[in-house]
């Protein structure tokens, strides 16, 4: 019984119904953004956790998915519509969200690399936001208006990982978050 499936970068095609009825398949990891994966490849699989390029969101069954990690790719308009249980989305790498990509999705928690914040259109959808530091630099900058008008946001967490945050004036202007978690190492 397959519980976790990793489709490596060298797999370029997964056909229709390839894993249909794998009733133990709970986790899916897809590496290759260019791979052709038929929409019904994972039909009837109870996947609750997935890590896929943004271009492959449509192949993940929606019914049981609670956690999705996007590693690169483009997220289409309304790509997350009708994901009834999805509560956590993580973003890493060059992920582009088309306008209204999160429409119809009740995401509660969103984890994003600080360098990707300006590419997101998540103001209406997210209650809790975790900002992970950029791995390549020692300083992460949150620019003016980065979270302006995030009126549904209740909490923000800054992850440390030995990185310095530079939070500019107005970064959280008109943001309604009531909880900010800042690592002790960032307090001066």
């Amino acid at each position: 019984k397959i519980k976790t499936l990793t489709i490596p970068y060298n797999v370029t095609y997964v056909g229709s119904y390839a894993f249909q009825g794998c009733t133990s398949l709970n986790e899916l990891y897809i590496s290759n953004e260019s791979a052709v994966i038929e929409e019904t490849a994972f039909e009837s699989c109870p996947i609750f956790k997935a890590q896929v390029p943004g271009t492959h969101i449509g192949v993940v069954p929606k019914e049981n998915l609670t956690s999705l990690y996007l590693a690169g790719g483009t997220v289409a308009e309304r790509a997350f519509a009708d994901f009834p249980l999805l509560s956590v989305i993580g973003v890493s790498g060059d992920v582009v969200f088309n306008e209204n990509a999160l429409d119809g999705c009740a995401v509660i928690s969103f984890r994003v690399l600080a360098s990707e914040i300006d590419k997101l259109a998540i103001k209406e959808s997210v209650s809790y936001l975790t900002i992970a530091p950029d791995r390549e630099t020692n300083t992460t900058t949150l620019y003016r208006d980065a979270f302006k008008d995030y009126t549904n946001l209740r909490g923000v967490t800054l992850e440390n990982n030995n990185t310095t945050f530079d939070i500019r004036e107005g970064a959280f202007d008109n943001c309604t978050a009531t909880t900010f978690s800042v690592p002790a190492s960032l307090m001066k």
Side-chain angles (χ1 to χ4, degrees), residues 3-9 25-33 37 42 47-61 65-73 80 83 86 88-93 95 111 135:
K3 293 182 180 180
T4 301
L5 177 64
T6 299
I7 298 176
Y9 195 81
L25 183 56
N26 294 319
E27 295 184 27
L28 174 64
Y29 301 91
I30 300 172
S31 301
N32 189 349
E33 181 180 340
I37 300 177
F42 304 101
I47 297 168
F48 65 85
K49 181 179 180 182
Q51 177 177 326
V52 300
T55 49
H56 290 320
I57 292 169
V59 304
V60 180
L65 193 67
T66 60
S67 179
L68 181 63
Y69 185 78
L70 300 173
F80 290 102
F83 277 79
L86 185 62
V88 177
I89 295 177
V91 177
S92 175
V95 177
R111 182 181 185 278
R135 295 180 185 114

Side-chain angles (χ1 to χ4, degrees), residues 31-176:
S31 301
N32 189 349
E33 181 180 340
S34 302
V36 175
I37 300 177
E38 299 295 338
E39 226 174 276
T40 56
F42 304 101
E43 185 91 7
S44 303
C45 295
I47 297 168
F48 65 85
K49 181 179 180 182
Q51 177 177 326
V52 300
T55 49
H56 290 320
I57 292 169
V59 304
V60 180
K62 299 176 180 182
E63 298 79 26
N64 299 302
L65 193 67
T66 60
S67 179
L68 181 63
Y69 185 78
L70 300 173
T74 300
V75 180
E77 187 171 321
R78 297 195 46 81
F80 290 102
D82 305 319
F83 277 79
L85 302 176
L86 185 62
S87 61
V88 177
I89 295 177
V91 177
S92 175
D94 192 17
V95 177
V96 177
F97 284 79
N98 282 335
E99 189 174 341
N100 305 320
L102 293 172
D103 279 6
C105 179
V107 173
I108 295 172
S109 179
F110 202 97
R111 182 181 185 278
V112 63
L113 289 175
S115 61
E116 306 298 320
I117 289 168
D118 62 334
K119 298 177 184 174
L120 302 179
I122 60 173
K123 288 181 185 179
E124 311 299 321
S125 306
V126 177
S127 299
Y128 296 95
L129 181 66
T130 299
I131 303 167
D134 296 320
R135 295 180 185 114
E136 297 165 6
T137 65
N138 289 329
T139 303
T140 296
T141 303
L142 302 179
Y143 291 99
R144 180 180 190 87
D145 298 336
F147 298 101
K148 183 178 180 176
D149 298 326
Y150 273 60
T151 55
N152 291 326
L153 196 59
R154 289 187 237 146
V156 175
T157 299
L158 302 180
E159 286 184 357
N160 187 1
N161 299 350
N162 298 320
T163 299
T164 303
F165 278 86
D166 178 1
I167 302 172
R168 301 289 172 91
E169 180 181 341
F172 292 94
D173 189 29
N174 200 31
C175 172
T176 59

